[in-house]
RNA sequence: GGGGAGAUUCCAGAGCGGCCAAAUGGGGCAGACUGUAAAUCUGUUGCGAAAGCUUCGAAGGUUCGAAUCCUUCUCUCCCCA
């Protein structure tokens, strides 16, 4: 199965330029995807693009990850309704370092591999490239009419668009040209919102007499219920464990709906078609086992984090969602407790507050830890029978004593099925 | 520059002197059902234990009483030039 066929059955192909498939079949080429250094970590939206590069590499081609050190300073108007804030060089450098680590985890960068992945930064060729040179050597080849026809530009004609953002496609197009010229890069991949930018590149390459260049894009990942992919109430789901703990990361995938899980397992795992078909079939026979979600979460968590992180996440999930009760919780040592609940939000409470024996549960849940925003919210939770202390439902506001503590210093608070919080007494 | 419409609790959007912490819908949260899914049904959704307190773009005013009336200001949208 060639690269494009692979993407096609996985539902990862949105648009493709004619001739791309033939060109890729004929020879092994280099291809690239750009990543914006807007944060020091990528989130799972970018994971789609990384997977694309991984497939590309597995098909024998050479993946290039371009970090937009220069373009990050300009800002891509695609899909943005407002002018973007610009980043400075120092921020971008810091962000690049973080992103690099994440890419290296997934793609094979070892130079002993013939088609090893490569990381480039477009700042390297834009630094020192004067404005005059740029508009003379590059701008000359692309007409204003061509630029104005772009959706990203058209949709901003009403609200306004700075010259800076207007020039963006041209800058990204030049990246493609440079990679084409210097690294025989023949294809640019990316999200469907990048189509306009990508074809500006192929156009530029044609005008400047490079080798034939191609393009393919991935569809926007959606969720069946219409909410945005990769978001939770806490914000984006990041690849960086400090921003999104492995436990939360694992939980994000475990919570995917059936419909989404079928889609995601094709996109985010490398499992072959037969295995996935089999999994889907089994899942439909015994949906309550949630094989799809488990396999999906397992595979991605290992790829992004590690086997150990997965084990811990599963263990934590079993305790939090399994049949476990306060009894099994009480048996945990402090070490196990901490390891298991690593990703659960925590807050410290002064141990001495327990002394009088009059510290109420509500005070801990609201004032001391901020787990719930107000006492009203706490009362509501009691009324709904949705509040648990150490896995036991609570129906009244009770005074907390040292006897309630797990491993001598923790309280496991819970609102509803999925929201946990740990109060640590120290 | 001229004329008009508007700004309401997370969002949309009613209310147009007391019955308004403010209809309704959406969203959020929770409960039931389940499979940590979807759908459905139910409850809940400013703070406060309560009395009560603080909210309806901002500041003043009228009134026993204002989201509702008046004045000024700020911002948004539409039409004409």
């Amino acid at each position: 199965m060639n690269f494009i066929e692979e993407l096609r059955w996985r539902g990862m192909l949105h648009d493709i330029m004619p001739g791309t498939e033939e060109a890729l079949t004929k020879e092994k080429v280099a291809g690239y995807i750009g990543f914006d250094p807007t944060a020091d970590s990528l989130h799972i939206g970018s994971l789609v693009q990384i997977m694309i590069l991984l497939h590309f590499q597995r098909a024998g081609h050479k993946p290039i990850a371009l970090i937009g050190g220069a373009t990050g300073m300009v800002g891509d108007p695609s899909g943005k309704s407002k002018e973007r804030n610009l980043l400075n060089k120092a921020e971008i450098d810091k962000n690049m370092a973080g992103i690099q680590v994440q890419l290296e985890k997934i793609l094979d960068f070892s130079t002993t591999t013939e088609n090893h992945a490569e990381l480039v930064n477009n700042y390297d060729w834009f630094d020192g490239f004067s404005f005059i040179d740029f508009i003379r050597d590059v701008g000359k080849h692309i007409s204003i009419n061509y630029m104005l026809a772009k959706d990203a530009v058209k949709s901003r004609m009403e609200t306004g668009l700075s010259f800076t953002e207007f020039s963006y496609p041209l800058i990204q197009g030049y990246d493609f040209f440079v990679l084409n010229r210097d690294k025989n890069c023949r294809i640019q991949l990316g999200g469907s919102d990048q189509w306009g930018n990508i074809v500006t590149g192929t156009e530029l390459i044609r005008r400047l007499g490079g080798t034939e260049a191609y393009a393919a894009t991935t569809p926007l990942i959606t969720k069946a219920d219409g909410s945005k992919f990769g978001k939770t109430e806490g914000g984006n789901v990041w690849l960086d464990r400090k921003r999104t703990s492995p436990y939360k990361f694992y939980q994000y995938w475990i919570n995917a709906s059936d419909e989404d899980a079928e889609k995601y397992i094709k996109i985010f795992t490398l499992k072959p078609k037969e295995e996935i078909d089999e999994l889907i079939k089994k899942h439909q026979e015994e949906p309550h086992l949630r094989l799809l979600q488990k396999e999906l979460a397992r595979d991605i968590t290992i790829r992004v984090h590690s086997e150990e992180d997965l084990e811990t996440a599963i263990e934590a999930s079993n305790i939090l969602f399994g049949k476990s009760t306060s009894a099994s919780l009480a048996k945990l040592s402090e070490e196990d407790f901490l390891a298991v609940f690593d990703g659960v939000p925590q807050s410290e409470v002064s141990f001495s507050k327990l002394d009088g024996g009059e510290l109420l549960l509500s005070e801990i849940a609201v004032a001391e830890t901020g787990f719930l925003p107000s006492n009203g919210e706490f009362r509501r939770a009691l009324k709904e029978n949705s509040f648990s202390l150490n896995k036991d439902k609570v129906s009244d506001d009770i005074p907390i004593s040292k006897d309630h503590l797990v491993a001598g210093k923790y309280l496991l608070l819970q609102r509803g099925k999925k929201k946990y919080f740990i109060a640590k007494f120290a």
Side-chain angles (χ1 to χ4, degrees):
Chain A
M1 197 180 309
N2 73 38
F3 172 66
I4 297 296
E5 283 168 349
E6 183 86 41
L7 296 193
R8 203 172 274 135
W9 82 261
R10 287 182 187 271
M12 298 169 88
L13 195 63
H14 182 258
D15 243 326
I16 181 164
M17 193 172 277
T20 305
E21 191 163 4
E22 293 73 11
L24 290 183
T25 322
K26 215 160 55 194
E27 56 180 324
K28 301 298 177 206
V29 301
Y32 96 94
I33 296 183
F35 296 90
D36 260 350
T38 42
D40 62 4
S41 168
L42 296 169
H43 46 83
I44 59 177
S46 316
L47 200 54
V48 187
Q49 306 310 327
I50 304 178
M51 292 309 290
I52 292 275
L53 282 183
L54 185 54
H55 283 297
F56 194 68
Q57 184 168 41
R58 284 162 55 97
H61 302 292
K62 179 184 175 67
I64 299 174
L66 179 147
I67 296 192
T71 31
M73 293 186 184
V74 174
D76 181 1
S78 307
K80 308 282 190 317
S81 55
K82 282 206 291 273
E83 184 84 12
R84 269 200 350 194
N85 292 328
L86 304 185
L87 297 163
N88 65 41
K89 178 92 173 50
E91 286 168 323
I92 287 174
D93 283 346
K94 178 178 136 272
N95 294 345
M96 274 184 55
I99 292 171
Q100 182 167 358
V101 172
Q102 294 173 343
L103 290 171
E104 283 173 349
K105 186 116 194 253
I106 299 176
L107 297 169
D108 181 1
F109 277 84
S110 60
T111 46
T112 47
T113 309
E114 202 194 331
N115 60 329
H116 68 268
E118 205 173 320
L119 191 75
V120 296
N121 177 0
N122 61 8
Y123 190 80
D124 292 344
W125 51 84
F126 276 113
D127 185 29
F129 194 175
S130 84
F131 180 71
I132 293 291
D133 287 341
F134 185 80
I135 57 173
R136 194 189 59 189
D137 297 340
V138 180
K140 197 75 185 159
H141 299 281
I142 297 291
S143 74
I144 283 286
N145 319 51
Y146 181 81
M147 297 285 285
L148 288 177
K150 303 224 165 281
D151 278 349
V153 172
K154 258 198 285 192
S155 64
R156 288 279 293 276
M157 290 309 271
E158 289 291 327
T159 50
L161 172 76
S162 67
F163 181 73
T164 309
E165 285 195 352
F166 174 74
S167 341
Y168 182 89
L170 205 53
I171 302 177
Q172 184 170 328
Y174 185 71
D175 286 340
F176 197 1
F177 168 76
V178 169
L179 291 176
N180 178 270
R181 182 189 65 196
D182 298 349
K183 297 190 185 291
N184 191 31
C185 177
R186 305 288 295 280
I187 178 166
Q188 182 178 171
L189 303 153
S192 54
D193 59 331
Q194 289 300 308
W195 185 257
N197 293 336
I198 295 176
V199 297
T200 306
T202 59
E203 181 71 15
L204 196 60
I205 290 170
R206 185 159 33 240
R207 303 284 175 101
L208 288 169
T211 53
E212 198 63 37
Y214 301 96
T217 55
T218 55
L220 199 69
I221 307 297
T222 54
K223 280 175 46 173
D225 64 6
S227 57
K228 213 167 172 223
F229 171 76
K231 293 262 191 203
T232 64
E233 52 166 324
N236 281 326
V237 179
W238 301 89
L239 303 189
D240 180 357
R241 63 188 306 134
K242 288 197 287 295
R243 286 170 180 258
T244 302
S245 69
Y247 165 75
K248 282 234 185 87
F249 186 84
Y250 176 80
Q251 280 291 323
Y252 182 81
W253 301 104
I254 277 287
N255 273 311
S257 70
D258 291 4
E259 208 177 320
D260 289 338
E262 276 189 30
K263 220 163 49 184
Y264 296 167
I265 199 154
K266 294 177 190 160
I267 297 175
F268 295 103
T269 76
L270 294 175
K271 294 181 189 301
K273 192 165 189 326
E274 304 73 51
E275 191 182 340
I276 289 182
D277 287 345
E278 179 68 19
L279 270 171
I280 292 178
K281 193 165 140 260
K282 274 198 193 149
H283 179 83
Q284 280 161 354
E285 282 162 11
E286 295 183 287
H288 58 279
L289 294 181
R290 302 188 322 128
L291 275 176
L292 272 181
Q293 284 90 341
K294 282 179 186 164
E295 273 305 310
L296 172 69
R298 195 189 128 72
D299 202 282
I300 310 183
T301 306
I302 292 178
R303 190 177 319 281
V304 171
H305 293 293
S306 69
E307 188 97 37
E308 297 80 68
D309 288 322
L310 171 74
E311 297 304 326
T312 314
I314 291 178
E315 205 178 328
S317 302
N318 284 341
I319 292 182
L320 295 177
F321 295 102
K323 295 268 178 284
S324 76
T325 56
S326 49
S328 56
L329 199 62
K331 273 185 273 177
L332 285 178
S333 70
E334 179 180 358
E335 207 171 277
D336 289 343
F337 186 88
L338 278 183
V340 164
F341 298 123
D342 184 36
V344 179
Q346 316 193 357
S347 173
E348 275 196 23
V349 180
S350 161
F351 198 86
S352 58
K353 295 206 171 165
L354 286 176
D355 285 346
E358 296 190 345
L359 188 64
L360 290 171
L361 181 56
S362 60
E363 294 178 73
I364 295 172
V366 182
E368 298 292 338
T369 63
F371 173 46
L372 297 180
S374 71
N375 287 331
E377 191 70 25
F378 180 77
R379 271 182 291 116
R380 212 170 289 134
L382 291 185
K383 204 168 103 195
E384 291 164 346
N385 193 29
S386 68
F387 199 91
S388 302
L389 170 65
N390 297 334
K391 294 296 290 176
D392 288 333
K393 290 279 187 192
V394 181
S395 52
D396 291 298
D397 194 4
I398 49 169
I400 296 301
S401 73
K402 289 173 184 152
D403 298 337
H404 289 103
L405 302 183
V406 177
K409 55 163 99 157
Y410 302 101
L411 282 184
L412 181 65
L413 309 177
Q414 178 183 3
R415 169 85 194 277
K417 266 184 236 166
K418 300 179 188 175
K419 247 169 95 180
Y420 290 90
F421 195 92
I422 289 170
K424 176 180 179 187
F425 288 83

